[in-house]
Amino acid sequence: MSFSSDEVNFLVYRYLQESGFVHSAFVFGAESLIAQSNINGALVPPCALTSIIQKGLMYVEAEISTGEDGVERLIDTLSLIDAVMPDVVSSRKQEGGGKPLVKTEGEEGGQTEGAAPSEPMEIEHGVEIPVEKARVLKGHDSEVFICAWNPKQDLLASGSGDSTARIWNMTQPEPTCEVLKHCIKMEGKDVPSNKDVTSLDWNCHGNLLATGSYDGFARIWTTTGHLEGTLGQHKGPIFALKWNKNGKYILSAGVDRTTIIWDASNGKCKQQFAFHSAPALDVDWKSEESFASCSTDMQIHVCQLGSNQPIKSFQGHTNEVNAIKWDPQGKFLASCSDDMSLKIWTMDRDTCVHDLQAHQKEIYTIKWSPTGPGTNNPNAPLVLASASFDSTVRLWDVENGICTHTLTRHKEPVYSVAFSPDGKYLASGSFDKCVHIWSTQTGQLVHSYLGTGGIFEVCWNSRGDKVGASASDGTVFVLDLRK
């Protein structure tokens, strides 16, 4: 048996990613030169580090509980810290007492406590999406962090740790794929950046795709995979990237603590905003020329193109702010944080309108429903969805500041939620490998699909009859919800 420091580092890196410590993972990955290792991340299953630690703990317990006579005896369960302390292990061996572990006749062997079940979930009868309704798209060589449907046609874009994005054409019976290789210049040649593609967004016309990478560059691509432009002013990874509604500008947020508005027509920086004191994690447009940004510095700033200071700043979170979203009218700004709270802000108040505290762990992301005044569904109520590492999704009536439904079928952290275009359904994706689709009105589970890797992202196509999802094992899949 042998293992290298590169292998240990990779497992630690993956553990940090899977636990939601995305920025710690980036720093650790950079310092340990993960990108230069030859490990294919797509072949490493989720929870690999905890799995191998658990096996090691079981081995130590087995070694202690087996006496010199070969008879296995009952011992108190070891903690992980106990197992690595020689004095504790030695004293447990010397105790040697306890009854022999004997299985009586008719007794069934149960599952080891703490071990993962063979299936992460039980799917209700009639709810499971049949295999023939799911199209699995393979091609990425590493985890797929993000996916997004084109607003005009059934093209699904995906971004991966293999330093590529892909555009999957789902308009034909047999999907085709364009590979968007993210390269950097070295000695006059284009070479793969070996950096994760972690953000992407289509413009409103559906003719251009913007991608953001850990190599520090944003890029603009056509639907055929042609590179239209490279936007380079960030000093370090880009964490978020969004087109404005008319497709004139692109907004990006980076580890360098800045946000940038880019002119999409020429790829030049219109304005760089350096108001945060730590990495900027998310951005969202309020109007065509104003936006909000959030950061690990716990601050939220609202900025305006042409203004050298924030036009509004919000404080109140006590840990890093993971995501921010304006409601469809630009009236309410929702924010979620590692402090386990969800807060609602308005421009006419300095303190939050609502401080919603119901989740038991960090809240990773939030989404507004495409409903209410100013949307295509004006008569439906406005709903906010929050996804947490406590394995639940919550639906909120923001006007009254109450939780209307708690969706509890996931068994692992929930990384993504997305509303259908009519607002009647919500898709959720979790690291339990499941995509669930819920009724937003009743909170009932409508459809479920069990994938082969932890789910990072879910998204609906513009017609609301397909759900795309991206996973930790390098797969992308499309669920056809047509009857």
Side-chain angles (χ1 to χ4, degrees):
M1 181 183 73
S2 67
F3 56 86
S4 67
S5 59
D6 279 351
E7 291 170 326
V8 175
N9 289 341
F10 184 82
L11 293 182
V12 172
Y13 169 74
R14 281 288 291 272
Y15 170 77
L16 291 171
Q17 275 193 327
E18 292 166 357
S19 300
F21 303 117
V22 179
H23 316 297
S24 300
F26 164 73
V27 174
F28 180 79
E31 290 185 352
S32 58
L33 304 177
I34 291 293
Q36 296 180 22
S37 70
N38 294 318
I39 299 168
N40 185 349
L43 301 179
V44 180
C47 305
L49 181 61
T50 52
S51 175
I52 199 70
I53 289 173
Q54 188 178 47
K55 289 176 182 177
L57 186 56
M58 290 169 65
Y59 176 84
V60 174
E61 286 185 345
E63 192 178 41
I64 294 173
S65 64
T66 304
E68 292 182 3
D69 55 2
V71 177
E72 191 175 357
R73 303 181 184 281
L74 284 170
I75 63 165
D76 291 333
T77 304
L78 280 177
S79 74
L80 183 58
I81 298 302
D82 286 343
V84 297
M85 297 175 69
D87 290 346
V88 174
V89 173
S90 176
S91 65
R92 290 289 186 90
K93 281 184 177 180
Q94 289 169 9
E95 286 171 9
K99 302 175 189 175
L101 185 61
V102 179
K103 191 174 180 179
T104 59
E105 187 176 349
E107 186 179 343
E108 292 295 327
Q111 183 179 301
T112 305
E113 185 179 351
S118 57
E119 294 292 320
M121 59 166 282
E122 292 179 8
I123 297 174
E124 292 177 359
H125 179 68
V127 171
E128 183 180 3
I129 294 173
V131 175
E132 61 269 19
K133 288 284 190 178
R135 170 77 72 163
V136 180
L137 307 171
K138 296 183 178 180
H140 283 296
D141 295 326
S142 187
E143 52 269 274
V144 188
F145 298 111
I146 193 161
C147 59
W149 287 99
N150 185 295
K152 300 297 183 183
Q153 54 181 322
D154 275 356
L155 302 178
L156 180 64
S158 58
S160 168
D162 64 7
S163 75
T164 74
R166 291 171 188 253
I167 299 175
W168 309 87
N169 188 334
M170 307 300 295
T171 61
Q172 304 298 325
E174 284 302 317
T176 57
C177 176
E178 297 290 344
V179 180
L180 284 48
K181 294 181 180 178
H182 288 57
C183 296
I184 55 175
K185 290 282 186 185
M186 285 187 68
E187 298 177 355
K189 296 180 181 180
D190 285 335
V191 297
S193 70
N194 291 325
K195 300 291 185 181
D196 302 347
V197 179
T198 53
S199 53
L200 48 80
D201 193 32
W202 292 98
N203 69 349
C204 58
H205 309 296
N207 64 323
L208 294 173
L209 175 72
T211 61
S213 168
Y214 268 29
D215 66 10
F217 292 96
R219 294 170 175 85
I220 303 174
W221 312 80
T222 66
T223 55
T224 58
H226 174 71
L227 180 61
E228 284 281 296
T230 300
L231 320 178
Q233 190 150 317
H234 278 295
K235 292 178 172 63
I238 294 172
F239 289 143
L241 178 131
K242 304 268 178 68
W243 290 87
N244 69 347
K245 288 178 183 175
N246 65 19
K248 183 178 179 181
Y249 298 132
I250 296 171
L251 176 62
S252 59
V255 75
D256 62 5
R257 311 176 185 182
T258 73
T259 54
I260 297 177
I261 292 180
W262 307 87
D263 187 331
S265 64
N266 57 24
K268 293 183 178 179
C269 169
K270 286 287 290 184
Q271 187 172 350
Q272 188 165 18
F273 305 82
F275 304 141
H276 287 293
S277 59
L281 301 184
D282 197 20
V283 285
D284 198 43
W285 290 99
K286 182 181 189 297
S287 66
E288 298 294 2
E289 295 188 350
S290 66
F291 67 94
S293 62
C294 65
S295 164
T296 61
D297 66 8
M298 304 179 283
Q299 306 291 309
I300 299 167
H301 296 307
V302 183
C303 306
Q304 174 79 39
L305 183 63
S307 176
N308 293 323
Q309 294 293 328
I311 57 175
K312 190 79 174 179
S313 293
F314 299 116
Q315 294 90 29
H317 282 294
T318 56
N319 208 326
E320 61 183 60
V321 185
N322 293 318
I324 46 172
K325 295 287 183 297
W326 291 99
D327 80 329
Q329 283 194 297
K331 175 185 176 183
F332 294 117
L333 177 66
S335 61
C336 65
S337 167
D338 279 1
D339 65 12
M340 300 183 284
S341 78
L342 174 65
K343 299 185 191 297
I344 309 297
W345 315 84
T346 58
M347 292 295 287
D348 58 357
R349 287 183 55 165
D350 293 330
T351 57
C352 62
V353 178
H354 296 297
D355 184 2
L356 308 173
Q357 304 203 28
H359 284 291
Q360 303 302 305
K361 289 188 178 179
E362 299 92 331
I363 307 174
Y364 188 72
T365 193
I366 45 179
K367 290 285 172 62
W368 291 98
S369 61
T371 52
T375 71
N376 293 328
N377 312 291
N379 298 321
L382 179 65
V383 178
L384 180 67
S386 57
S388 169
F389 285 174
D390 66 10
S391 305
T392 71
V393 175
R394 288 179 178 265
L395 300 182
W396 303 86
D397 170 357
V398 172
E399 291 283 358
N400 297 304
I402 59 172
C403 177
T404 56
H405 296 292
T406 304
L407 314 179
T408 59
R409 292 294 297 273
H410 284 299
K411 309 299 182 189
E412 296 288 343
V414 185
Y415 277 87
S416 180
V417 286
F419 283 94
S420 61
D422 60 8
K424 293 180 178 179
Y425 300 101
L426 180 81
S428 60
S430 162
F431 241 64
D432 62 8
K433 305 180 183 179
C434 294
V435 172
H436 291 330
I437 296 171
W438 316 80
S439 164
T440 55
Q441 186 175 8
T442 66
Q444 295 297 305
L445 185 63
V446 179
H447 297 296
S448 286
Y449 180 78
L450 177 61
T452 53
I455 310 300
F456 279 116
E457 186 82 17
V458 291
C459 55
W460 294 81
N461 69 346
S462 59
R463 291 189 310 279
D465 58 15
K466 291 190 180 86
V467 170
S470 59
S472 61
D473 65 345
T475 59
V476 178
F477 55 87
V478 175
L479 306 177
D480 190 339
L481 303 180
R482 292 174 296 181
K483 295 188 177 177

